[in-house]
Amino acid sequence: MEPRLRVFLCCVVMTFLCGRGTGTSSTTGTKFSLKTGVRVTSAANQIRQITRTVTQGNWTLLFRAQAGINEPVYLTYINTSVQHDNPVPLDFPTACLRMSDYGACDRHFRSHILDNFVGIDQVRLSLIKSDTEVAYVVFDAVGASFQAWFSPSRIVESTWMPDVPNESYHRPTLRGDCPSTTVCRRFYLFGPHTGCRSEWLYTMTLDSASDLCLDLTAEYAGLKLNYPMFFYSATSGRAALSINPSYPTAQTADVLALWVKYV
Ligand SMILES: *[C@@H]1O[C@H](CO)[C@@H](O)[C@H](O)[C@H]1NC(C)=O
Ligand SMILES: *[C@@H]1O[C@H](CO)[C@@H](O)[C@H](O)[C@H]1NC(C)=O
Ligand SMILES: *[C@@H]1O[C@H](CO)[C@@H](O)[C@H](O)[C@H]1NC(C)=O
């Protein structure tokens, strides 16, 4: 995109009030301020016609997944038939572009950028709960494909510093570990599979209606889950499902948003 157009979009079209990215040199960084989300004016439909992307500061929305809508995340992420911007269609729900007031959102958002993944410096994975970015991790995406940037060795900044880049994980990939309908976990930063009661995580996206380990917890035992579910550690360290008392219990987010920053 032309810089001039990008600036125009940032400033005029869909503005996150108070939105500000963070510096890239620090490893602790600052959470996004997303309270007010995307503001679409009364001329929303007219604006959509010229809106190629959704932005916040220097970050452009790459993908946005909504919890509990029973639509797969990973299969949507890789599906090149799905594009919701360039421009954003008139009938695409505004709630699914926002980071606040998104209760009515009924679908995932997939940017055309995924199908032209070039010139990208960083990817930010944001976990949003109650209109707030509750955890994030920024990856160095230089030279990576649209699936390969998700790697612990590429982490440059996170709410889970200092340990998150250096832990031993089980299949720490975007595709994650999905051998069956009772284990289907994406965006996977999860420790070795040693048995549910001793396992820990920083984040995982549950991408099916049941899960082997959640079935052992009091909250979810025997339930058909409304997926996806976005689990995350709310501290700077490891979390666990409630069956492992060694760590704080992982929390669930409402939205998983991915952003890109261009070189
Ligand atoms: C966006 O990028 C420009 C140019 O690199 C920089 O000057 C500006 O501070 C950045 N803005 C934010 C909000 O990070
Ligand atoms: C990809 O998306 C298209 C359009 O929504 C849909 O028809 C198709 O079934 C999807 N493919 C897969 C593999 O999910
Ligand atoms: C994690 O690994 C990075 C790069 O390998 C290293 O610079 C850093 O000191 C390590 N952090 C900890 C806490 O071990």
Side-chain angles (χ1 to χ4, degrees), residues 162-163 165-166:
D163 293 335
N166 298 349

Side-chain angles (χ1 to χ4, degrees), residues 46-68:
Q46 197 183 339
I47 284 167
R48 284 173 194 222
Q49 292 295 311
I50 55 166
T51 299
R52 291 172 55 179
T53 57
V54 178
T55 59
Q56 149 137 327
N58 290 344
W59 295 94
T60 303
L61 191 61
L62 178 70
F63 188 76
R64 181 194 179 290
Q66 182 81 16

Side-chain angles (χ1 to χ4, degrees), residues 15 28 59 71 77 80-81 90 98 111 154 164 182 190 196 198 210 213 225 243 252:
T15 308
T28 48
W59 295 94
E71 292 289 336
Y77 184 90
T80 53
S81 307
L90 292 177
R98 287 197 291 249
S111 171
R154 289 180 170 275
V164 69
T182 57
F190 197 99
C196 299
S198 60
S210 64
C213 289
L225 306 174
I243 46 173
T252 53

Side-chain angles (χ1 to χ4, degrees), residues 1 6-7 9-10 16 21 32 51-64 85-86 99 109 111-114 117 120 122-126 257-262:
M1 184 188 301
R6 208 181 302 163
V7 167
L9 291 173
C10 284
F16 286 87
F32 271 170
T51 299
R52 291 172 55 179
T53 57
V54 178
T55 59
Q56 149 137 327
N58 290 344
W59 295 94
T60 303
L61 191 61
L62 178 70
F63 188 76
R64 181 194 179 290
D85 56 4
N86 195 29
M99 303 298 144
F109 166 90
S111 171
H112 73 288
I113 296 166
L114 281 170
F117 201 77
I120 288 167
Q122 294 183 328
V123 178
R124 182 185 188 105
L125 184 159
S126 297
L258 305 177
W259 312 84
V260 293
K261 187 146 75 179
Y262 287 92

Side-chain angles (χ1 to χ4, degrees), residues 75-76 79-82:
L75 292 179
T76 306
N79 189 339
T80 53
S81 307
V82 180

